[in-house]
Amino acid sequence: MSLILNEQQIQQKIKRLAIQILEHNHDETEVYLIGINNSGLGFAKMLLNAIDKIEFAKPTFHLTQVSLSPANPLAKPVEISLPLKQLENKVIIFVDDVANTGRTLFYAMKPVLIDIVPKKVEVAVLVDRKHKNFPISINYVGLSLATTLSENIEVQIREVKEMAVYLK
């Protein structure tokens, strides 16, 4: 395993992403950060914490989670932990730790894009691998990384002694 980002670098990326999110949404009243599964939710919490620390007139941020099976996204319905109607005409930012092919992000967006009309939909990730097979564009990226298809990215940000990103 090769270390790609250490804890200090991850914290710097999170702070930069928080500033970018505020810059692009400064004129909004509400923004919903939707963490994808547990890793995305953990990263979304870190982003929200960084946003809260910035002294800047900002919209109200809400945090919620979307749950799905990345290995088999059609195995069960995609679930968002709040009523979909609450997201109607709102700014929504899907948050995940790593974007690989874009499949998980694509299916995570399904209820928001099919069942309601959001004001804006964006994506924030810590690491973008650039292997997109689905029409997903990442708006906020901590680190873009060109890897081979056989390599894996391991992000350790939840319930660990020290945060890190590794290339395996």
Side-chain angles (χ1 to χ4, degrees):
M1 274 196 314
S2 300
L3 180 67
I4 302 298
L5 294 173
N6 63 31
E7 184 159 355
Q8 179 184 358
Q9 292 167 320
I10 292 170
Q11 293 292 357
Q12 288 172 334
K13 302 280 185 203
I14 290 169
K15 186 175 181 181
R16 184 176 52 81
L17 289 170
I19 291 168
Q20 288 176 335
I21 288 169
L22 285 173
E23 285 175 343
H24 289 116
N25 293 287
H26 69 278
D27 56 346
E28 301 297 338
T29 56
E30 288 184 284
V31 176
Y32 284 80
L33 297 177
I34 301 180
I36 299 176
N37 292 327
N38 293 331
S39 295
L41 182 62
F43 185 52
K45 287 177 182 176
M46 291 176 188
L47 278 174
L48 185 56
N49 186 40
I51 289 167
D52 286 343
K53 290 179 181 175
I54 297 170
E55 296 295 326
F56 187 76
K58 54 188 165 238
T60 301
F61 279 82
H62 305 278
L63 182 66
T64 191
Q65 181 179 23
V66 63
S67 300
L68 71 152
S69 169
N72 188 357
L74 297 177
K76 61 179 185 166
V78 176
E79 296 177 9
I80 295 181
S81 62
L82 55 75
L84 270 178
K85 281 290 183 198
Q86 204 170 320
L87 300 173
E88 186 83 38
N89 199 34
K90 302 291 190 233
V91 174
I92 299 166
I93 302 174
F94 284 90
V95 181
D96 208 357
D97 57 346
V98 178
N100 188 12
T101 65
R103 182 170 85 167
T104 301
L105 282 160
F106 183 82
Y107 283 99
M109 292 180 186
K110 181 181 173 188
V112 170
L113 297 178
I114 302 298
D115 298 332
I116 63 164
V117 179
K119 184 174 185 179
K120 176 169 61 170
V121 176
E122 297 181 319
V123 177
V125 299
L126 180 59
V127 180
D128 182 12
R129 289 191 62 197
K130 300 290 185 188
H131 294 293
K132 302 296 172 285
N133 294 337
F134 288 80
I136 297 296
S137 175
I138 311 297
N139 305 87
Y140 310 104
V141 179
L143 176 69
S144 290
L145 192 61
T147 61
T148 67
L149 291 174
S150 64
E151 293 173 313
N152 290 309
I153 299 293
E154 182 179 318
V155 176
Q156 298 177 354
I157 56 174
R158 294 181 318 117
E159 301 167 10
V160 293
K161 192 178 215 180
E162 188 168 323
M163 294 189 293
V165 175
Y166 294 98
L167 177 65
K168 295 177 16 175

